[in-house]
């Protein structure tokens, strides 16, 4: 298939419409973008960074996995271009497996491992990081290169460094960036360790989440510089923090509002827990007790549950949660502990075994959270110093994310 000769005109019109819609939606949030980033987004051609991606077909098979359809300009020009300029995350890789975009096939299920993040979130990250002209920036997670291109357009390529752990992702991003005339420093590297050859940076941002703040990133930031990181744990509670780095290497800053999530950094991803039924089977002989709180406190699709799940991870940092036939199970592969919550009438019972009483720890945390008035994310401060990484709140005990 030959691409239409009016591709540039089509793309420009759609790009301007996308940015206009993002700006209109942003006006209602109370947390406006830096307008310079909106102007930048009007110039960067996103379609050149997403030659192929997957979209959900809206169908499930008998076992439930989503059917993902490949989308390229050759398969469906109109759908490809429209999706490229939609405020949508476009999945470009599943389970670390590369797709032959010349002959792509539909697939069912799978864990997304690379994507082009929805443009409004990319702009939100750059804006919230308080990036401005003259700053040098390090981006963790090049991905498709679209976010990198925005930074190059705004700051100039010489001020931008971006690292990516996946060599194939990096090659694709480099081709697209150089094809558009952007020449940032690109490197294959684990973002956990930043990129020393180009340090010191005025700003560091990440397009993947970490369990805790990587110390190397703080050491590569100029005193007074800022680090914007998504944080998440193995319960898949998420938050973002904007840290200001001091001259003595300590850092402190607030959690930011909103329910935003990113794929975990591969070195911080949760370990495999095997067959959940095996863990559940070992709990049948344990004596049940009445649960003080229902699992919906963590699993409900609400902002409160999303935030509470992030905080509760500090009580059980090595636990994962999985449901079997609607019954939640907590599994800790580090200590060998497990818990199962079972509905009984309108209440819940819990069975626990192992050295860590997982649900009991979460219950104690929920009690202190409720007693403090269920404070929102923006009321918490993260401090990183020689004693560790701590979430601080004036009405709650401090929460340890990582020991010093």
């Amino acid at each position: 298939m030959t691409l239409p000769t009016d591709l540039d005109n089509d793309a420009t019109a759609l790009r301007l419409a996308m940015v206009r819609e993002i700006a209109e939606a942003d006006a209602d949030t109370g947390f406006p973008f830096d307008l310079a980033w909106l102007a930048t987004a009007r110039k960067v051609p996103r379609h050149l960074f997403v030659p192929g991606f997957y979209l959900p077909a809206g169908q499930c098979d008998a076992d439930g996995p989503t059917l993902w359809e490949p989308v390229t300009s050759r398969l469906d020009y109109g759908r490809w271009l429209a999706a490229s300029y939609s405020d949508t995350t476009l999945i470009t890789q599943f389970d670390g497996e590369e797709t032959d975009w010349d002959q792509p096939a539909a697939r069912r299920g799978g864990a997304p491992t690379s994507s082009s993040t929805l443009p409004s979130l990319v702009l939100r990250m750059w804006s919230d990081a308080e990036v401005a002209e003259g700053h040098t920036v390090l981006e963790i997670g090049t991905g498709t290169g679209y976010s990198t291109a925005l930074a190059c357009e705004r700051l100039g390529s010489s001020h931008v460094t971006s690292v990516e752990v996946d060599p194939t992702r990096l090659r694709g991003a480099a081709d697209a960036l150089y094809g558009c005339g952007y020449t940032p420093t690109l490197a294959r590297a684990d973002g956990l360790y930043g990129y020393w050859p180009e340090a010191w940076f005025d700003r560091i941002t990440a397009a993947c989440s970490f369990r805790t703040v990587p110390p190397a990133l703080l050491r590569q930031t100029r005193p007074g510089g800022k680090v914007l990181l998504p944080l998440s744990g193995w319960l898949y509670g998420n938050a973002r923090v904007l840290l200001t780095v001091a001259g003595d290497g300590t850092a402190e800053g607030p959690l930011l509002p909103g329910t935003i999530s990113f794929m975990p950094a591969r070195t911080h991803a949760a370990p495999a827990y095997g067959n959940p039924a095996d863990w559940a089977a070992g709990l049948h002989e344990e004596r049940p007790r009445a649960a003080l709180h229902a699992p919906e406190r963590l699993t409900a699709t609400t902002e409160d549950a999303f935030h509470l799940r992030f905080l509760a991870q500090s009580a059980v940092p090595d636990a994962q949660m999985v449901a079997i036939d609607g019954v939640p199970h907590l599994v800790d592969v580090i200590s060998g502990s497990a818990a199962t919550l079972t509905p009984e009438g309108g209440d819940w019972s819990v069975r626990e075994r192992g050295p860590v009483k997982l649900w009991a720890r979460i219950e104690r945390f929920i009690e202190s959270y409720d007693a403090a008035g269920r404070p929102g994310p923006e009321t918490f401060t993260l401090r990183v110093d020689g004693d560790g990484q701590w979430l601080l709140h004036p009405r709650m005990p401090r929460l340890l994310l990582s020991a010093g």
Side-chain angles (χ1 to χ4, degrees):
M1 172 181 174
T2 301
L3 293 179
T5 56
D6 57 353
L7 170 60
D8 288 343
N9 291 333
D10 291 346
T12 298
L14 289 170
R15 183 165 62 253
L16 294 177
M18 179 189 74
V19 175
R20 184 167 57 250
E21 292 172 2
I22 290 173
E24 291 171 352
D26 179 63
D28 298 329
T29 65
F31 303 97
F33 292 127
D34 177 343
L35 294 180
W37 285 111
L38 292 172
T40 300
R42 295 186 183 99
K43 302 176 184 177
V44 176
R46 190 190 188 203
H47 69 281
L48 297 180
F49 295 88
V50 285
F53 49 85
Y54 289 96
L55 291 177
Q59 302 176 23
C60 297
D61 64 18
D63 296 323
T66 300
L67 174 64
W68 294 93
E69 294 180 334
V71 179
T72 68
S73 61
R74 293 181 181 277
L75 291 173
D76 189 330
Y77 167 78
R79 188 184 188 196
W80 165 74
L81 194 60
S84 297
Y85 290 105
S86 63
D87 191 28
T88 305
T89 292
L90 304 174
I91 306 300
T92 55
Q93 185 190 71
F94 287 91
D95 302 322
E97 301 171 358
E98 293 303 325
T99 297
D100 179 358
W101 291 110
D102 290 329
Q103 295 180 311
R107 60 174 300 145
R108 292 189 182 275
T113 47
S114 188
S115 67
S116 176
T117 303
L118 67 160
S120 63
L121 180 50
V122 174
L123 296 174
R124 169 60 59 201
M125 291 293 288
W126 285 126
S127 186
D128 285 350
E130 301 176 7
V131 176
E133 284 76 3
H135 283 159
T136 56
V137 302
L138 170 63
E139 176 189 46
I140 307 298
T142 313
T144 65
Y146 174 67
S147 175
T148 318
L150 290 169
C152 291
E153 181 67 39
R154 172 83 185 273
L155 305 175
S157 295
S158 63
H159 285 61
V160 179
T161 299
S162 186
V163 298
E164 170 63 49
V165 71
D166 186 319
T168 303
R169 300 292 94 195
L170 187 62
R171 283 195 295 270
D175 289 344
L177 286 161
Y178 298 154
C180 291
Y182 302 121
T183 57
T185 297
L186 300 175
R188 182 189 176 190
D190 187 338
L192 187 68
Y193 306 105
Y195 192 65
W196 281 105
E198 296 292 326
W200 308 89
F201 300 100
D202 296 300
R203 297 290 187 271
I204 296 180
T205 69
C208 57
S209 64
F210 295 95
R211 296 182 73 198
T212 57
V213 178
L217 301 187
L218 302 184
R219 298 190 186 106
Q220 293 174 33
T221 305
R222 296 183 191 278
K226 296 180 184 292
V227 178
L228 178 61
L229 294 179
L231 298 174
S232 68
W234 294 346
L235 288 182
Y236 298 103
N238 295 268
R240 292 184 307 147
V241 64
L242 180 61
L243 296 168
T244 299
V245 179
D248 61 1
T250 63
E252 188 168 327
L255 298 187
L256 301 181
T259 54
I260 292 172
S261 63
F262 284 83
M263 297 175 190
R266 297 187 185 184
T267 47
H268 278 200
Y273 49 73
N275 185 349
D278 293 340
W279 292 87
L283 289 162
H284 292 323
E285 297 179 359
E286 302 294 328
R287 184 186 300 274
R289 65 170 177 84
L292 300 180
H293 295 280
E296 286 86 358
R297 288 295 303 271
L298 300 184
T299 61
T301 55
T302 64
E303 288 195 14
D304 286 344
F306 192 90
H307 170 53
L308 180 57
R309 190 160 65 249
F310 170 74
L311 297 175
Q313 291 168 156
S314 63
V316 288
D318 299 323
Q320 301 177 62
M321 181 176 282
V322 61
I324 304 176
D325 297 328
V327 176
H329 302 271
L330 287 167
V331 173
D332 180 344
V333 302
I334 305 300
S335 70
S337 303
T340 293
L341 291 120
T342 306
E344 293 186 357
D347 298 318
W348 290 82
S349 67
V350 59
R351 287 181 168 89
E352 299 177 285
R353 69 174 173 85
V356 180
K357 304 306 178 187
L358 298 173
W359 193 249
R361 284 195 178 185
I362 289 176
E363 288 175 329
R364 287 194 295 272
F365 174 79
I366 292 176
E367 292 294 314
S368 65
Y369 174 74
D370 289 347
R374 302 186 180 185
E378 63 279 3
T379 65
F380 286 84
T381 297
L382 178 62
R383 177 169 176 78
V384 182
D385 56 29
D387 294 328
Q389 300 184 20
W390 302 89
L391 274 174
L392 307 176
H393 192 277
R395 298 193 302 275
M396 291 185 66
R398 62 181 186 168
L399 308 175
L400 179 64
L401 293 187
S402 176

